[in-house]
C-alpha cells in the first residue's frame, strides 16, 4: 500500500514509524533480557581482566592508566582449573547470543532516537546525553568485541583498553537507564501473556497492518539468538562439537589429528619463531633467581623430575580446548634450582616469540607454587609440536591462554 501524499517524511515526525509492534511491552520484554544478560557480560568481562593479574607487573597490563577502575583486582586463583575457560566461554558466547536482542531493542525504541527538539530542558538534555552513552556504548562494546574475535585486532589502539574503558562508560549509562525503566518494565511484564498497551509515544499513531504478532516477533529474535548460540558455542569443546562453531574463527576448521591435534591461536610461523633457535643443540632455558643463573638444555630438563597435569587452553577470544595431558617440570622445582626452596616467588617469563602482545608475561607466586603449573615438554604423550610451543611452554591451571607462554627462553624468579 502506498503512503498518502501527506505522509510524514522525516524520522522525527509523529507517524513516520509505523510498525504496530512497537510499544512499551515489546521494549520491556527485550529490556529485561538485556538486564540479565548484560549484567553477566559486565561481570565476566571484569573477571577476565583480573585473570591477567594486571596489578602484578606492567607486562600483564594492557590498561595501565585505569586508576580506580582497577579497585576490584585480586590475585587470580588456580582453582578450579577450568575457571577461565568457563568465564570467557560465557562472556563471548553470551555476547554473541545477545546481538539479536540488542538490535531488536534498538529497533523498538528507534522513534525516540530521532525525537525533536533534541532537548526541551536541562534535565531532558542530560537524559539524551545518557542515552547517547547507552546506545553508543552498547554498539561500541558489541562491535569491538566481535571485531576482535573475527578480524584479529583491527583497531587504531589496544583492544583491551578500548573494550575496558568502553565497558565502564556503557555500564554506567546502562545502570542509570535500567533503574529508571525498571518500574515500567516490570509493570509491563505483569501482562506477559496478554500485552496491555499503555499510553506511549512508541505506539505509532498511524500503525501499518501487522505482518507478525508481537509474540511472533519475539520468537524471531529468540530464534536468531539460538542460531548464533548454536554456531558459536561449539568452539569451547573438542571433536565434532567444534565443527558446529561455523561462525567462530577458532571453530569449524580442523586443528589436525594426533596428540598435538588441538586448537592453537598463533602458529610458530606467525609468532616469528626462528626454527634454528629451537633445535636441541642451540636452545637453552635460562633460569635466574636468588642464587644466580642456570642454563638447561631440553635433555637436561627431561632428566629432572617430570610431572603430569590435565589442563585446558582457554583463550580470551572465547575458544577453549578440553583438558590435555601435559608433562614437564614443575615451575616450583625450577624456582628451587635457583634458591627458592619452600616458598617460590613470582616469575617473569620470556619467549623466543618475535611478534605478539604477550611474548613476555608475569605469573604470581600462587601460580608458580601450584603443583600442576609446569614448564611442559610433552603433551598427550608426544613432544610438543612447534605450533604448541616446542621446545618448552608454560601451562598453569585457570590462567588465560596468553599467559601460558610458548617457546619459553628465559625464566626470572623473584618478587615482581
Ligand atoms: C543495551 C542496553 C539498552 C539499550 C541500548 C537501551 C536503549 C533504550 C532507548 C534508547 C530507549 C528510549 C529512550 C527512553 O525511553 O528513555 C529505551 C527505552 C526503554 N528501555 Fe531500554 N535500553 C537498554 C536496556 C534496557 C533494560 C536493561 C531495561 C529494563 C530494565 C530497559 C527498559 C526500557 C523501557 C521500559 C523503556 C521505555 C519504553 C517506553 O517508554 O515506552 N532497557 N531503551
Amino acid at each position: 500500500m502506498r503512503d498518502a501524499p501527506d505522509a510524514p517524511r522525516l524520522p522525527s515526525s509523529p507517524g513516520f514509524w509505523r510498525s504496530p509492534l512497537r510499544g512499551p511491552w515489546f521494549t520491556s520484554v527485550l529490556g529485561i533480557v538485556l538486564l540479565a544478560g548484560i549484567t553477566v557480560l559486565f561481570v565476566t568481562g571484569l573477571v577476565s581482566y583480573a585473570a591477567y593479574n594486571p596489578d602484578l607487573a606492567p607486562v600483564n597490563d594492557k590498561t595501565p592508566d585505569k586508576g580506580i577502575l582497577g579497585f576490584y583486582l585480586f590475585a587470580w586463583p588456580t582453582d578450579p582449573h577450568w575457571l577461565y575457560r568457563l568465564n570467557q566461554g560465557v562472556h563471548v558466547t553470551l555476547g554473541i547470543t545477545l546481538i539479536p536482542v540488542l538490535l531488536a531493542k534498538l529497533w523498538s525504541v528507534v522513534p525516540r532516537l530521532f525525537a525533536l527538539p533534541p532537548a526541551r530542558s536541562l534535565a531532558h538534555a542530560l537524559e539524551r546525553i545518557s542515552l547517547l552513552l547507552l546506545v553508543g556504548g552498547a554498539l561500541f562494546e558489541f562491535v569491538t568485541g566481535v571485531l576482535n574475535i573475527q578480524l584479529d585486532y583491527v583497531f587504531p589502539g589496544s583492544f583491551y583498553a578500548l573494550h575496558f574503558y568502553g565497558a565502564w562508560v556503557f555500564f554506567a549509562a546502562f545502570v542509570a537507564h535500567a533503574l529508571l525503566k525498571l518500574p515500567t518494565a516490570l509493570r509491563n511484564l505483569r501482562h506477559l501473556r496478554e500485552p496491555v498497551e499503555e499510553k506511549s509515544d512508541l505506539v505509532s499513531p498511524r500503525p501499518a497492518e501487522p505482518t507478525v504478532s508481537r509474540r511472533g516477533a519475539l520468537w524471531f529474535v529468540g530464534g536468531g539468538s539460538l542460531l548464533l548460540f548454536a554456531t558459536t558455542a561449539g568452539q569451547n569443546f573438542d571433536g565434532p562439537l567444534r565443527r558446529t562453531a561455523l561462525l567462530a574463527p577458532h571453530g569449524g576448521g580442523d586443528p589436525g589429528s594426533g596428540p598435538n591435534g588441538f586448537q592453537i591461536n598463533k602458529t610458530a610461523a606467525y609468532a616469528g619463531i626462528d626454527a634454528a633457535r629451537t633445535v636441541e643443540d642451540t636452545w637453552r632455558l635460562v633460569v635466574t633467581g636468588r642464587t644466580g643463573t642456570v642454563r638447561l638444555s631440553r635433555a637436561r630438563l627431561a632428566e629432572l623430575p617430570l610431572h603430569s597435569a590435565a589442563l585446558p587452553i582457554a583463550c580470551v577470544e572465547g575458544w577453549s580446548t578440553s583438558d590435555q595431558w601435559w608433562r614437564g617440570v614443575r615451575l616450583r622445582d625450577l624456582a628451587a634450582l635457583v634458591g627458592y626452596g619452600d616458598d617460590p616467588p613470582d616469575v617473569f617469563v620470556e619467549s623466543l616469540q618475535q611478534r605478539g602482545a604477550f611474548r613476555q608475561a608475569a605469573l604470581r607466586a600462587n601460580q608458580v607454587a601450584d603443583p600442576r603449573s609446569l614448564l611442559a615438554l610433552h603433551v598427550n604423550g608426544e613432544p610438543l609440536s612447534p605450533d604448541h610451543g616446542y621446545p618448552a611452554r608454560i601451562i598453569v591451571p585457570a590462567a588465560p591462554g596468553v599467559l601460558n607462554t610458548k617457546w619459553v627462553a628465559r625464566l626470572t624468579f623473584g618478587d615482581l
Side-chain angles (χ1 to χ4, degrees), residues 3 50 54 70 75 102 113 118 133 136 155 181 199 241 266 337 396:
D3 279 352
L102 175 69
L113 302 182
L133 297 178
F155 308 105
K181 300 294 177 185
K199 268 196 159 325
L241 271 179
K266 305 278 185 283
L337 282 183
V396 170

Side-chain angles (χ1 to χ4, degrees), residues 23-24 27-28 31-32 34-35 38 102 105-106 109 112-113 127 131 134-135 138 170 174 177-178 181-182 184-185 200 202:
T27 299
S28 297
I32 292 290
L34 288 174
L35 181 60
I38 286 179
L102 175 69
K105 177 77 181 9
L106 292 176
V109 295
R112 293 270 172 84
L113 302 182
E127 192 200 322
L131 287 178
L134 176 71
V135 175
F170 165 52
F174 177 82
H177 179 73
K181 300 294 177 185
L182 200 56
T184 315
S200 164
L202 284 180

Side-chain angles (χ1 to χ4, degrees), residues 16 19 67 71 77 85 91 94 128-129 221 223 259 288 343 394 398:
F16 177 88
S19 171
F71 73 93
R85 186 178 180 205
H91 186 74
L94 180 62
R128 296 296 294 262
I129 291 171
V221 175
T288 303
D343 199 15
I394 299 284

Side-chain angles (χ1 to χ4, degrees), residues 152 264-275 277-278 350-360 385-390 402 404-408:
D152 203 16
I264 53 150
N265 194 346
K266 305 278 185 283
T267 61
Y270 182 96
I273 299 299
D274 175 0
R277 295 181 65 192
T278 64
E350 292 167 84
S351 169
L352 292 174
Q353 231 172 303
Q354 306 288 318
R355 285 189 286 276
F358 284 88
R359 37 183 201 278
Q360 300 177 329
S385 68
D387 287 344
H388 278 299
Y390 181 88
V402 283
N404 291 312
T405 310
K406 300 197 271 189
W407 314 288
V408 174

